[in-house]
Amino acid sequence: MSRISGVAPMSNYSTFKEQFKKSGYSSSNFYDVTIELDSNPKLIRQLSKDPQFNLSSTKQLLRLYCDEATMPGLQMSTGDYRITNTPNLKYAYGAVFSGMELSFMMDADSQIKNLFDLWTNWIYGYANQKLSLENLIGIGSPQQNFRAAYRDDYTVDIIIVKYERSMNGTINGREPTDKRTAYSFRDIIPDISDKQSIDRTKFYKAIPVHATKIFNAFPSNISSVSLSREETSISKLGVSFEYETFTTTTLNSSSALNFRDPINGGSGLDVVEALVGLLA
């Protein structure tokens, strides 16, 4: 049987290996999530009514204890049309954003759970019942305040930064090994001696290659927390977020400076500042 003209030969292992060496692969466990609580002053004022709330430590706790994250997806809304006797064709008329999920390991002081309890109660006052002695003994009725706050008063921005190993990919691999930023022994083992901490290790710091910024997000679903006497494990708290829109950028060039909100406009310099904070 003759070959079909213009058709490339079937790929094989050697071509895959060459491409794999050049393009590398993406690892799912190199990421950082920053919930920009301070992007909404009204929310901060509400959360600060709790004497145990501290903005700096809470943001760091959320970042470090976020053990799973979902980068938002997108589905195009389509309709059908046809011309005379042609088959049905599709056209796009809108976009539907998928939900964003974050999972947190719960800390022993329940600061994370407490934060989302306060946050959701500020969104809709489901627990704003002021009880007095009269209410407790059945005289009078508790004051209820089941009302929703304005959306602008409880939404924040969220930044998800995707990292890769410094030797992965075409762009990352261009940097000579001796110029890559390596961890010192002191970074890995804090109690090591000063002399040994000067030596460079073979563990290179990850490179940020992609970022997603989610605009005007708020927690819409707080998962139940399962408790059991069967075995000891770390408690997890799942949180689903709704948001207005999101935008993305690659970070292996100066394109982070072009991070813009496609709907509301405004500068994206806060993404660069967030990266500086994450890499510090």
Side-chain angles (χ1 to χ4, degrees), residues 220-273:
S220 60
N221 184 27
I222 311 298
S223 69
S224 303
V225 179
S226 299
L227 304 176
S228 174
R229 298 186 188 273
E230 295 295 326
E231 61 181 60
T232 300
S233 60
I234 297 177
S235 296
K236 300 289 188 71
L237 182 69
V239 183
S240 300
F241 288 85
E242 296 292 340
Y243 54 92
E244 183 176 328
T245 184
F246 71 90
T247 188
T248 63
T249 184
T250 53
L251 297 177
N252 40 28
S253 68
S254 60
S255 59
L257 297 176
N258 297 322
F259 216 135
R260 296 292 185 270
D261 180 349
I263 292 182
N264 300 315
S267 171
L269 292 179
D270 53 341
V271 176
V272 179
E273 295 170 359

Short mmCIF file of all heavy atoms in Angstrom, two decimals, residues 220-273:
data_model
loop_
_atom_site.label_atom_id
_atom_site.label_comp_id
_atom_site.label_asym_id
_atom_site.label_seq_id
_atom_site.Cartn_x
_atom_site.Cartn_y
_atom_site.Cartn_z
N SER A 220 -18.08 30.49 49.04
CA SER A 220 -19.49 30.18 48.82
C SER A 220 -19.91 28.85 49.43
O SER A 220 -21.10 28.60 49.61
CB SER A 220 -19.80 30.15 47.32
OG SER A 220 -19.02 29.15 46.67
N ASN A 221 -18.94 28.01 49.76
CA ASN A 221 -19.27 26.71 50.34
C ASN A 221 -18.15 26.27 51.26
O ASN A 221 -17.00 26.13 50.82
CB ASN A 221 -19.51 25.67 49.24
CG ASN A 221 -19.95 24.33 49.80
OD1 ASN A 221 -20.55 24.26 50.87
ND2 ASN A 221 -19.66 23.26 49.09
N ILE A 222 -18.45 26.08 52.52
CA ILE A 222 -17.48 25.57 53.50
C ILE A 222 -17.84 24.12 53.78
O ILE A 222 -18.96 23.82 54.21
CB ILE A 222 -17.51 26.39 54.81
CG1 ILE A 222 -17.45 27.88 54.51
CG2 ILE A 222 -16.38 25.97 55.73
CD1 ILE A 222 -16.21 28.33 53.81
N SER A 223 -16.91 23.22 53.53
CA SER A 223 -17.22 21.80 53.67
C SER A 223 -17.36 21.40 55.13
O SER A 223 -16.85 22.09 56.04
CB SER A 223 -16.11 20.97 53.02
OG SER A 223 -14.91 21.08 53.76
N SER A 224 -18.06 20.32 55.35
CA SER A 224 -18.13 19.74 56.69
C SER A 224 -16.77 19.16 57.06
O SER A 224 -15.99 18.74 56.20
CB SER A 224 -19.19 18.64 56.73
OG SER A 224 -20.47 19.12 56.33
N VAL A 225 -16.47 19.14 58.33
CA VAL A 225 -15.21 18.58 58.82
C VAL A 225 -15.52 17.25 59.49
O VAL A 225 -16.26 17.20 60.48
CB VAL A 225 -14.52 19.54 59.81
CG1 VAL A 225 -13.22 18.92 60.33
CG2 VAL A 225 -14.25 20.88 59.14
N SER A 226 -14.98 16.18 58.95
CA SER A 226 -15.23 14.85 59.48
C SER A 226 -14.35 14.57 60.69
O SER A 226 -13.14 14.87 60.67
CB SER A 226 -14.98 13.79 58.40
OG SER A 226 -15.84 13.98 57.30
N LEU A 227 -14.95 14.03 61.71
CA LEU A 227 -14.23 13.62 62.92
C LEU A 227 -14.47 12.13 63.15
O LEU A 227 -15.56 11.62 62.90
CB LEU A 227 -14.72 14.42 64.13
CG LEU A 227 -14.64 15.95 64.01
CD1 LEU A 227 -15.25 16.60 65.24
CD2 LEU A 227 -13.20 16.40 63.82
N SER A 228 -13.44 11.45 63.62
CA SER A 228 -13.56 10.00 63.81
C SER A 228 -12.56 9.55 64.86
O SER A 228 -11.46 10.09 64.98
CB SER A 228 -13.29 9.26 62.48
OG SER A 228 -13.26 7.87 62.68
N ARG A 229 -12.95 8.53 65.62
CA ARG A 229 -12.06 7.92 66.60
C ARG A 229 -11.29 6.73 66.02
O ARG A 229 -10.51 6.10 66.72
CB ARG A 229 -12.86 7.44 67.82
CG ARG A 229 -13.57 8.56 68.58
CD ARG A 229 -14.21 8.04 69.84
NE ARG A 229 -15.05 9.05 70.48
CZ ARG A 229 -14.60 9.95 71.34
NH1 ARG A 229 -13.32 9.98 71.64
NH2 ARG A 229 -15.43 10.83 71.87
N GLU A 230 -11.51 6.43 64.76
CA GLU A 230 -10.88 5.25 64.16
C GLU A 230 -9.37 5.41 64.04
O GLU A 230 -8.61 4.53 64.37
CB GLU A 230 -11.49 4.99 62.77
CG GLU A 230 -12.96 4.60 62.80
CD GLU A 230 -13.17 3.27 63.50
OE1 GLU A 230 -12.30 2.40 63.39
OE2 GLU A 230 -14.20 3.11 64.17
N GLU A 231 -8.94 6.53 63.52
CA GLU A 231 -7.51 6.76 63.35
C GLU A 231 -7.23 8.25 63.43
O GLU A 231 -8.12 9.08 63.27
CB GLU A 231 -7.04 6.23 61.99
CG GLU A 231 -7.71 6.90 60.80
CD GLU A 231 -7.23 6.34 59.48
OE1 GLU A 231 -7.40 5.12 59.27
OE2 GLU A 231 -6.67 7.12 58.69
N THR A 232 -5.97 8.58 63.70
CA THR A 232 -5.57 9.98 63.81
C THR A 232 -5.05 10.47 62.47
O THR A 232 -4.14 9.87 61.89
CB THR A 232 -4.47 10.14 64.88
OG1 THR A 232 -4.98 9.69 66.14
CG2 THR A 232 -4.05 11.60 65.00
N SER A 233 -5.62 11.55 61.99
CA SER A 233 -5.16 12.16 60.74
C SER A 233 -5.39 13.66 60.83
O SER A 233 -6.09 14.15 61.72
CB SER A 233 -5.92 11.57 59.54
OG SER A 233 -7.31 11.81 59.66
N ILE A 234 -4.77 14.38 59.91
CA ILE A 234 -4.90 15.83 59.89
C ILE A 234 -6.28 16.21 59.37
O ILE A 234 -6.71 15.75 58.31
CB ILE A 234 -3.81 16.46 59.02
CG1 ILE A 234 -2.44 16.16 59.60
CG2 ILE A 234 -4.02 17.97 58.91
CD1 ILE A 234 -1.29 16.69 58.75
N SER A 235 -6.98 17.03 60.11
CA SER A 235 -8.30 17.50 59.67
C SER A 235 -8.14 18.45 58.50
O SER A 235 -7.22 19.27 58.46
CB SER A 235 -9.04 18.20 60.81
OG SER A 235 -9.31 17.30 61.86
N LYS A 236 -9.05 18.34 57.54
CA LYS A 236 -9.01 19.19 56.34
C LYS A 236 -10.27 20.04 56.26
O LYS A 236 -11.35 19.62 56.70
CB LYS A 236 -8.91 18.32 55.08
CG LYS A 236 -7.68 17.42 55.01
CD LYS A 236 -6.42 18.21 54.78
CE LYS A 236 -5.23 17.32 54.53
NZ LYS A 236 -5.28 16.64 53.22
N LEU A 237 -10.11 21.21 55.69
CA LEU A 237 -11.23 22.11 55.48
C LEU A 237 -11.25 22.50 54.02
O LEU A 237 -10.32 23.13 53.51
CB LEU A 237 -11.10 23.37 56.35
CG LEU A 237 -12.25 24.38 56.24
CD1 LEU A 237 -13.52 23.80 56.85
CD2 LEU A 237 -11.89 25.70 56.92
N GLY A 238 -12.32 22.13 53.30
CA GLY A 238 -12.47 22.49 51.90
C GLY A 238 -13.32 23.74 51.76
O GLY A 238 -14.35 23.87 52.40
N VAL A 239 -12.89 24.66 50.90
CA VAL A 239 -13.60 25.92 50.69
C VAL A 239 -13.77 26.13 49.19
O VAL A 239 -12.79 26.08 48.43
CB VAL A 239 -12.84 27.11 51.30
CG1 VAL A 239 -13.65 28.40 51.12
CG2 VAL A 239 -12.57 26.87 52.78
N SER A 240 -15.00 26.35 48.76
CA SER A 240 -15.30 26.70 47.37
C SER A 240 -15.49 28.20 47.26
O SER A 240 -16.10 28.82 48.13
CB SER A 240 -16.56 25.97 46.89
OG SER A 240 -16.40 24.57 46.97
N PHE A 241 -14.98 28.78 46.19
CA PHE A 241 -15.07 30.22 45.98
C PHE A 241 -15.84 30.52 44.70
O PHE A 241 -15.69 29.83 43.69
CB PHE A 241 -13.67 30.84 45.87
CG PHE A 241 -12.92 30.90 47.16
CD1 PHE A 241 -12.18 29.81 47.60
CD2 PHE A 241 -12.92 32.05 47.94
CE1 PHE A 241 -11.48 29.85 48.79
CE2 PHE A 241 -12.21 32.10 49.12
CZ PHE A 241 -11.50 31.00 49.55
N GLU A 242 -16.66 31.56 44.76
CA GLU A 242 -17.23 32.17 43.57
C GLU A 242 -16.46 33.46 43.30
O GLU A 242 -15.92 34.08 44.22
CB GLU A 242 -18.71 32.47 43.77
CG GLU A 242 -19.59 31.26 43.98
CD GLU A 242 -19.70 30.38 42.75
OE1 GLU A 242 -19.42 30.89 41.64
OE2 GLU A 242 -20.03 29.19 42.90
N TYR A 243 -16.41 33.86 42.03
CA TYR A 243 -15.62 35.03 41.70
C TYR A 243 -16.20 35.70 40.46
O TYR A 243 -17.08 35.16 39.79
CB TYR A 243 -14.16 34.65 41.46
CG TYR A 243 -13.97 33.54 40.44
CD1 TYR A 243 -13.76 33.82 39.10
CD2 TYR A 243 -14.03 32.20 40.83
CE1 TYR A 243 -13.61 32.82 38.17
CE2 TYR A 243 -13.86 31.19 39.91
CZ TYR A 243 -13.65 31.50 38.58
OH TYR A 243 -13.50 30.49 37.66
N GLU A 244 -15.68 36.88 40.18
CA GLU A 244 -16.20 37.66 39.05
C GLU A 244 -15.55 37.25 37.74
O GLU A 244 -16.21 36.97 36.75
CB GLU A 244 -15.98 39.15 39.32
CG GLU A 244 -16.53 40.06 38.24
CD GLU A 244 -16.38 41.53 38.60
OE1 GLU A 244 -16.43 41.85 39.81
OE2 GLU A 244 -16.20 42.34 37.68
N THR A 245 -14.23 37.25 37.72
CA THR A 245 -13.48 36.86 36.53
C THR A 245 -12.06 36.52 36.94
O THR A 245 -11.69 36.68 38.12
CB THR A 245 -13.48 37.99 35.49
OG1 THR A 245 -12.82 37.53 34.29
CG2 THR A 245 -12.76 39.22 36.01
N PHE A 246 -11.26 36.06 36.00
CA PHE A 246 -9.86 35.80 36.29
C PHE A 246 -9.04 36.09 35.05
O PHE A 246 -9.55 36.17 33.93
CB PHE A 246 -9.63 34.36 36.76
CG PHE A 246 -9.80 33.31 35.68
CD1 PHE A 246 -8.73 32.90 34.90
CD2 PHE A 246 -11.03 32.72 35.46
CE1 PHE A 246 -8.88 31.95 33.91
CE2 PHE A 246 -11.20 31.75 34.48
CZ PHE A 246 -10.12 31.37 33.70
N THR A 247 -7.74 36.27 35.24
CA THR A 247 -6.83 36.46 34.12
C THR A 247 -5.54 35.74 34.45
O THR A 247 -5.25 35.45 35.61
CB THR A 247 -6.57 37.95 33.86
OG1 THR A 247 -5.82 38.11 32.66
CG2 THR A 247 -5.83 38.59 35.01
N THR A 248 -4.77 35.42 33.42
CA THR A 248 -3.55 34.64 33.61
C THR A 248 -2.40 35.29 32.86
O THR A 248 -2.59 36.11 31.97
CB THR A 248 -3.71 33.20 33.09
OG1 THR A 248 -3.95 33.23 31.68
CG2 THR A 248 -4.85 32.50 33.79
N THR A 249 -1.20 34.90 33.22
CA THR A 249 -0.01 35.36 32.52
C THR A 249 1.10 34.36 32.75
O THR A 249 1.12 33.64 33.74
CB THR A 249 0.44 36.74 33.00
OG1 THR A 249 1.56 37.18 32.21
CG2 THR A 249 0.86 36.71 34.45
N THR A 250 2.03 34.29 31.80
CA THR A 250 3.25 33.54 32.02
C THR A 250 4.27 34.47 32.67
O THR A 250 4.29 35.66 32.41
CB THR A 250 3.82 32.99 30.70
OG1 THR A 250 3.95 34.07 29.76
CG2 THR A 250 2.91 31.92 30.13
N LEU A 251 5.13 33.90 33.51
CA LEU A 251 6.02 34.73 34.32
C LEU A 251 7.49 34.53 33.99
O LEU A 251 8.35 35.00 34.70
CB LEU A 251 5.80 34.41 35.80
CG LEU A 251 4.41 34.73 36.33
CD1 LEU A 251 4.29 34.32 37.78
CD2 LEU A 251 4.08 36.20 36.17
N ASN A 252 7.79 33.80 32.89
CA ASN A 252 9.20 33.62 32.55
C ASN A 252 9.70 34.74 31.64
O ASN A 252 10.67 34.58 30.92
CB ASN A 252 9.44 32.25 31.90
CG ASN A 252 8.32 31.89 30.93
OD1 ASN A 252 7.68 32.76 30.38
ND2 ASN A 252 8.10 30.60 30.76
N SER A 253 9.00 35.87 31.66
CA SER A 253 9.45 37.08 30.98
C SER A 253 8.88 38.25 31.78
O SER A 253 8.38 38.08 32.87
CB SER A 253 8.97 37.11 29.53
OG SER A 253 7.56 37.26 29.51
N SER A 254 8.95 39.44 31.20
CA SER A 254 8.43 40.62 31.90
C SER A 254 6.93 40.76 31.77
O SER A 254 6.36 41.78 32.11
CB SER A 254 9.11 41.89 31.35
OG SER A 254 8.83 42.01 29.96
N SER A 255 6.25 39.70 31.29
CA SER A 255 4.81 39.81 31.05
C SER A 255 4.01 39.96 32.33
O SER A 255 2.83 40.30 32.27
CB SER A 255 4.31 38.57 30.29
OG SER A 255 4.58 37.39 31.01
N ALA A 256 4.61 39.71 33.49
CA ALA A 256 3.87 39.91 34.74
C ALA A 256 3.46 41.36 34.90
O ALA A 256 2.48 41.66 35.56
CB ALA A 256 4.73 39.47 35.92
N LEU A 257 4.20 42.28 34.27
CA LEU A 257 3.85 43.69 34.36
C LEU A 257 2.57 44.00 33.58
O LEU A 257 1.97 45.04 33.77
CB LEU A 257 5.00 44.55 33.82
CG LEU A 257 6.32 44.46 34.60
CD1 LEU A 257 7.38 45.28 33.92
CD2 LEU A 257 6.12 44.91 36.04
N ASN A 258 2.16 43.09 32.70
CA ASN A 258 0.96 43.30 31.90
C ASN A 258 -0.26 42.62 32.50
O ASN A 258 -1.25 42.39 31.82
CB ASN A 258 1.19 42.78 30.47
CG ASN A 258 2.28 43.53 29.76
OD1 ASN A 258 2.40 44.73 29.93
ND2 ASN A 258 3.09 42.83 29.00
N PHE A 259 -0.18 42.28 33.79
CA PHE A 259 -1.29 41.63 34.48
C PHE A 259 -2.40 42.65 34.67
O PHE A 259 -2.26 43.60 35.42
CB PHE A 259 -0.80 41.14 35.84
CG PHE A 259 -1.42 39.85 36.26
CD1 PHE A 259 -0.64 38.84 36.80
CD2 PHE A 259 -2.77 39.62 36.15
CE1 PHE A 259 -1.19 37.65 37.21
CE2 PHE A 259 -3.33 38.44 36.55
CZ PHE A 259 -2.55 37.45 37.08
N ARG A 260 -3.50 42.50 33.97
CA ARG A 260 -4.58 43.47 34.02
C ARG A 260 -5.92 42.76 34.26
O ARG A 260 -6.12 41.64 33.84
CB ARG A 260 -4.67 44.26 32.71
CG ARG A 260 -3.45 45.11 32.41
CD ARG A 260 -3.33 46.28 33.39
NE ARG A 260 -2.24 47.16 33.05
CZ ARG A 260 -1.01 47.01 33.50
NH1 ARG A 260 -0.72 46.00 34.29
NH2 ARG A 260 -0.07 47.86 33.16
N ASP A 261 -6.79 43.47 34.94
CA ASP A 261 -8.16 43.00 35.10
C ASP A 261 -8.91 43.32 33.81
O ASP A 261 -9.11 44.49 33.48
CB ASP A 261 -8.80 43.72 36.29
CG ASP A 261 -10.24 43.29 36.54
OD1 ASP A 261 -10.80 42.59 35.67
OD2 ASP A 261 -10.79 43.66 37.58
N PRO A 262 -9.34 42.30 33.03
CA PRO A 262 -9.95 42.59 31.74
C PRO A 262 -11.31 43.26 31.85
O PRO A 262 -11.79 43.84 30.89
CB PRO A 262 -10.08 41.20 31.11
CG PRO A 262 -10.13 40.26 32.26
CD PRO A 262 -9.24 40.87 33.31
N ILE A 263 -11.96 43.21 33.01
CA ILE A 263 -13.27 43.81 33.17
C ILE A 263 -13.18 45.17 33.84
O ILE A 263 -13.71 46.17 33.37
CB ILE A 263 -14.20 42.88 33.98
CG1 ILE A 263 -14.51 41.63 33.16
CG2 ILE A 263 -15.49 43.59 34.36
CD1 ILE A 263 -15.45 40.67 33.84
N ASN A 264 -12.47 45.22 34.97
CA ASN A 264 -12.46 46.44 35.77
C ASN A 264 -11.24 47.32 35.53
O ASN A 264 -11.13 48.41 36.06
CB ASN A 264 -12.52 46.09 37.26
CG ASN A 264 -13.79 45.33 37.60
OD1 ASN A 264 -14.86 45.71 37.16
ND2 ASN A 264 -13.68 44.25 38.35
N GLY A 265 -10.27 46.83 34.74
CA GLY A 265 -9.08 47.62 34.48
C GLY A 265 -8.18 47.70 35.70
O GLY A 265 -8.35 46.98 36.68
N GLY A 266 -7.20 48.58 35.64
CA GLY A 266 -6.31 48.75 36.79
C GLY A 266 -4.99 48.04 36.59
O GLY A 266 -4.85 47.12 35.79
N SER A 267 -4.00 48.49 37.34
CA SER A 267 -2.65 47.96 37.22
C SER A 267 -2.54 46.61 37.88
O SER A 267 -3.22 46.30 38.84
CB SER A 267 -1.65 48.93 37.86
OG SER A 267 -0.37 48.35 37.92
N GLY A 268 -1.62 45.80 37.36
CA GLY A 268 -1.37 44.48 37.93
C GLY A 268 -0.09 44.40 38.71
O GLY A 268 0.46 43.33 38.90
N LEU A 269 0.43 45.54 39.17
CA LEU A 269 1.70 45.54 39.87
C LEU A 269 1.64 44.76 41.17
O LEU A 269 2.67 44.33 41.69
CB LEU A 269 2.16 46.98 40.15
CG LEU A 269 2.54 47.79 38.91
CD1 LEU A 269 2.94 49.20 39.33
CD2 LEU A 269 3.67 47.13 38.15
N ASP A 270 0.45 44.57 41.73
CA ASP A 270 0.35 43.83 42.98
C ASP A 270 0.75 42.38 42.78
O ASP A 270 1.15 41.71 43.72
CB ASP A 270 -1.07 43.90 43.54
CG ASP A 270 -2.14 43.49 42.54
OD1 ASP A 270 -1.83 43.48 41.33
OD2 ASP A 270 -3.26 43.16 42.96
N VAL A 271 0.67 41.86 41.56
CA VAL A 271 1.11 40.49 41.29
C VAL A 271 2.62 40.40 41.44
O VAL A 271 3.15 39.47 42.04
CB VAL A 271 0.69 40.05 39.87
CG1 VAL A 271 1.24 38.67 39.55
CG2 VAL A 271 -0.82 40.07 39.75
N VAL A 272 3.33 41.40 40.90
CA VAL A 272 4.78 41.42 41.06
C VAL A 272 5.15 41.53 42.53
O VAL A 272 6.06 40.86 43.01
CB VAL A 272 5.38 42.59 40.25
CG1 VAL A 272 6.89 42.63 40.43
CG2 VAL A 272 5.02 42.47 38.79
N GLU A 273 4.43 42.40 43.26
CA GLU A 273 4.71 42.55 44.69
C GLU A 273 4.44 41.25 45.44
O GLU A 273 5.18 40.88 46.35
CB GLU A 273 3.84 43.67 45.26
CG GLU A 273 4.18 45.04 44.67
CD GLU A 273 3.15 46.10 45.06
OE1 GLU A 273 2.18 45.74 45.76
OE2 GLU A 273 3.31 47.25 44.65
#
